[in-house]
């Protein structure tokens, strides 16, 4: 018996990319790159005007980002870009260490596939190029991609899902570290050592290096925390160019109350 899920000639009518996913992607990028800074309140109506769409896709996009940890919804107050506390940072890195350690143990038991080695080498190459060019946000992206690839190489869908739920908050935390990357050649060397121990299957040194690497990052975050907690400013300057249809009027920055 063949199940029928609708559509003509058995072809899916589901769009490849929904409007809400496009809105969520744009908002995610702005949160990660700091355009929407920690503590900023996002207003559903103003976001809809800014993206020239109805409120429904914006609402769905916000819900998706709340699930990712890139936004927080506070009852009777609204939706905000989270401001990570010391406790948040400690818990994020504690959780990351648990998942990455479990992934590494499995990899040392089963070995690392050639495709995984190639992907990790590519990520290291991207990190090296970004470091030479002093593109520190690209360094952050390559860093997270490197660790995500390690978890993926363990071939545990559940570990990967758990890790994916941490990535949004990890990006926010690492964004606070951007100013500390300059002149840190050892940062790339730490990742290279993790890669070498993975390939060699040296579990003891691998776990030790992971704990040292994440511990160093967390200590640096603690030192830079106060410096990163600057007063909230509007992400749109006076000369910001916004591409919104004239009928929608002059959009405001998507802040303020959701009332």
């Amino acid at each position: 018996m063949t199940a029928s899920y609708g559509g003509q000639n058995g072809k899916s009518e589901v769009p490849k990319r929904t409007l809400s996913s496009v809105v969520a992607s744009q908002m995610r990028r702005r949160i990660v790159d700091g355009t929407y800074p920690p503590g900023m309140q996002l207003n559903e109506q103003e976001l809809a005007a800014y993206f020239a769409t109805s409120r429904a896709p914006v609402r769905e996009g916000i819900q998706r980002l709340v699930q990712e940890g890139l936004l927080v919804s506070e009852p009777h107050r609204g939706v905000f870009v989270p401001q990570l506390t010391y406790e948040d940072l400690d818990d994020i890195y504690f959780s990351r260490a648990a998942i990455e350690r479990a992934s590494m143990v499995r990899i040392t038991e089963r070995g690392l596939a050639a495709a995984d080695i190639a992907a990790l080498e590519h990520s290291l190459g991207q990190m090296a190029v970004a470091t030479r060019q002093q593109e520190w946000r690209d360094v952050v992206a390559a860093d997270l991609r490197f660790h995500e690839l390690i978890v993926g190489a363990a071939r545990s869908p559940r570990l990967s899902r758990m890790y994916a739920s941490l990535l949004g908050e990890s990006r926010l935390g690492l964004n606070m570290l951007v100013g500390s990357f300059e002149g840190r050649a050892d940062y790339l060397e730490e990742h290279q050592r993790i890669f070498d121990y993975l390939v060699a299957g040296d579990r003891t040194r691998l776990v030790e290096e992971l704990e040292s690497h994440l511990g160093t990052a967390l200590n640096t975050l603690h030192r830079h925390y106060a410096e990163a907690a600057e007063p909230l400013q509007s992400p749109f300057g006076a000369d910001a160019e916004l591409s919104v249809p004239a009928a929608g009027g002059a959009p405001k920055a998507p802040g303020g109350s959701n009332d």
Side-chain angles (χ1 to χ4, degrees):
M1 181 176 179
T2 302
S4 174
Y5 295 97
Q8 298 178 347
N9 301 322
K11 294 181 179 180
S12 170
E13 297 178 353
V14 178
K16 290 184 178 179
R17 200 174 186 207
T18 65
L19 184 55
S20 63
S21 69
V22 174
V23 171
S25 177
Q26 292 294 314
M27 292 172 62
R28 184 185 297 108
R29 181 176 63 81
R30 287 165 169 78
I31 293 169
V32 170
D33 70 15
T35 302
Y36 299 166
M40 180 179 178
Q41 184 175 10
L42 299 186
N43 180 280
E44 189 179 291
Q45 183 175 352
E46 292 174 358
L47 282 166
Y50 179 70
F51 290 116
T53 185
S54 66
R55 295 177 66 166
V58 172
R59 187 178 304 117
E60 293 173 12
I62 286 174
Q63 290 173 349
R64 185 175 303 186
L65 296 180
V66 167
Q67 292 173 348
E68 293 178 14
L70 286 175
L71 289 175
V72 292
S73 179
E74 300 184 10
H76 311 300
R77 292 195 64 224
V79 177
F80 299 81
V81 180
Q83 292 179 294
L84 299 180
T85 65
Y86 283 112
E87 292 75 15
D88 290 329
L89 295 171
D90 287 342
D91 194 47
I92 290 168
Y93 274 80
F94 171 76
S95 302
R96 280 188 59 185
I99 295 172
E100 291 187 40
R101 188 184 301 111
S103 300
M104 290 175 174
V105 168
R106 170 170 281 194
I107 290 170
T108 57
E109 290 174 347
R110 301 184 177 185
L112 199 59
D116 295 320
I117 293 175
L120 287 166
E121 285 180 328
H122 180 67
S123 180
L124 284 173
Q126 290 180 316
M127 196 182 303
V129 170
T131 300
R132 286 196 300 270
Q133 296 176 346
Q134 300 186 32
E135 296 289 347
W136 307 119
R137 293 198 181 277
D138 291 342
V139 173
V140 167
D143 178 321
L144 283 173
R145 180 58 179 159
F146 178 83
H147 290 273
E148 187 179 12
L149 286 168
I150 290 175
V151 176
R155 301 292 186 270
S156 169
R158 289 166 182 79
L159 276 183
S160 292
R161 285 200 297 268
M162 287 189 286
Y163 198 73
S165 71
L166 291 171
L167 286 179
E169 291 177 301
S170 294
R171 287 188 180 96
L172 293 178
L174 278 173
N175 280 347
M176 296 166 61
L177 270 177
V178 167
S180 71
F181 286 142
E182 188 168 1
R184 275 201 61 191
D186 59 322
Y187 191 78
L188 181 60
E189 293 169 359
E190 288 174 10
H191 288 85
Q192 183 65 54
R193 286 195 296 271
I194 290 173
F195 172 77
D196 291 341
Y197 295 146
L198 265 176
V199 174
D202 191 335
R203 182 186 303 178
T204 300
R205 290 186 178 180
L206 182 58
V207 172
E208 288 176 353
E209 187 64 38
L210 172 69
E211 292 177 352
S212 173
H213 172 66
L214 293 181
T216 298
L218 183 57
N219 288 336
T220 305
L221 272 171
H222 282 173
R223 289 198 303 271
H224 285 261
Y225 185 85
E227 299 174 12
E230 297 174 351
L232 182 63
Q233 298 179 357
S234 170
F236 298 96
D239 299 325
E241 296 181 1
L242 306 180
S243 178
V244 178
K252 300 179 291 181
S257 172
N258 272 330
D259 294 337

